[in-house]
Amino acid sequence: DIQMTQSPSSVSASVGDRVTITCRASQGISSWLAWYQQKPGKAPKLLIYAASSLQSGVPSRFSGSGSGTDFTLTISSLQPEDFATYYCQQANSFPLLTFGGGTKVEIK
Amino acid sequence: QVQLQESGPGLVKPSQTLSLTCTVSGGSISSGSYYWSWIRQPAGKGLEWIGRIYTSGSTNYNPSLKSRVTISVDTSKNQFSLKLSSVTAADTAVYYCARLMVYAKGYYFDYWGQGTLVTVSS
């Protein structure tokens, strides 16, 4: 099974800050990676797929990069509505799709 | 706009079978190259993929749950369903249904239901 490890597990930041979250796969997954945002009591929302493709309707301040085993989600200028938990997901290795443990973005 | 809605009992007794249904609206469950999936999330924890189904009936399950899970589809009702047998307290979680889109051999959850809390308790 492919394990997905996110870091940090939490980050404190202020509005306007640039925030970077990292996801590492236990083996190469090419560009088969997604990022999701989850707010309390809500379902996750797809932000980025195929490592760097922005889902329709998602603000351009969100961007993704990486391939192989190391991936990054960047929020270029943090907005109040961006405080949430973010998950990465490896998207190709069946029979098991796996998620990272999550990164909570908190208000500083 | 595709919408998904989970339904089913919120309380299940230990050793019994958890049964949930996901109703898809805003589009046919049979149209396009989509899979339909279940994911769960225990309180305060991360996301765990349970399994997926294609409208042909083809399924894949999380190996850790495979012996207890059945996912089925009813295209006439635009629904798909989850059954998880022999439940324990460890199965207590919010259960989500979701659409799985395929892009360049990758599988991504692009639409989600709101989630339903299932508690396993006597």
Side-chain angles (χ1 to χ4, degrees):
Chain A
D1 300 345
I2 297 177
Q3 310 301 319
M4 307 300 293
T5 304
Q6 285 183 236
S7 60
S9 57
S10 66
V11 57
S12 294
S14 301
V15 173
D17 283 354
R18 181 181 183 90
V19 173
T20 298
I21 298 168
T22 296
C23 180
R24 175 164 289 176
S26 60
Q27 62 190 77
I29 58 171
S30 185
S31 296
W32 295 309
L33 185 103
W35 290 98
Y36 299 86
Q37 175 194 67
Q38 186 179 33
K39 296 181 179 179
K42 300 293 186 181
K45 172 187 174 183
L46 178 63
L47 300 176
I48 301 285
Y49 62 95
S52 60
S53 296
L54 194 66
Q55 175 69 343
S56 176
V58 174
S60 60
R61 62 181 180 273
F62 291 94
S63 64
S65 64
S67 66
T69 60
D70 295 312
F71 301 87
T72 299
L73 173 70
T74 300
I75 309 173
S76 60
S77 177
L78 197 65
Q79 298 301 300
E81 60 268 30
D82 300 337
F83 292 97
T85 299
Y86 294 83
Y87 293 94
C88 62
Q89 173 232 329
Q90 67 82 8
N92 183 259
S93 179
F94 280 99
L96 183 58
L97 296 178
T98 48
F99 295 87
T103 296
K104 188 173 185 179
V105 177
E106 300 175 298
I107 301 172
K108 193 170 187 178
Chain B
Q1 177 82 345
V2 174
Q3 292 183 309
L4 295 89
Q5 178 68 57
E6 305 89 351
S7 59
L11 181 64
V12 182
K13 289 180 168 40
S15 79
Q16 293 191 343
T17 296
L18 177 161
S19 296
L20 295 174
T21 296
C22 183
T23 301
V24 179
S25 58
S28 170
I29 199 171
S30 300
S31 66
S33 298
Y34 300 110
Y35 291 77
W36 304 91
S37 199
W38 290 95
I39 302 105
R40 69 181 183 179
Q41 185 174 38
K45 296 189 178 180
L47 299 160
E48 180 180 34
W49 177 71
I50 298 171
R52 69 168 186 177
I53 190 166
Y54 194 61
T55 49
S56 63
S58 171
T59 55
N60 292 99
Y61 300 130
N62 184 325
S64 70
L65 299 169
K66 187 175 182 178
S67 63
R68 299 193 291 130
V69 172
T70 302
I71 297 176
S72 58
V73 63
D74 186 337
T75 55
S76 67
K77 294 183 179 179
N78 234 32
Q79 295 176 334
F80 62 105
S81 299
L82 168 70
K83 291 189 185 300
L84 181 66
S85 64
S86 305
V87 297
T88 69
D91 296 310
T92 294
V94 174
Y95 285 75
Y96 295 100
C97 60
R99 190 178 81 170
L100 202 50
M101 75 166 188
V102 184
Y103 177 82
K105 299 183 180 180
Y107 296 82
Y108 308 99
F109 302 99
D110 63 343
Y111 286 95
W112 295 66
Q114 65 185 25
T116 188
L117 174 63
V118 178
T119 301
V120 178
S121 175
S122 55

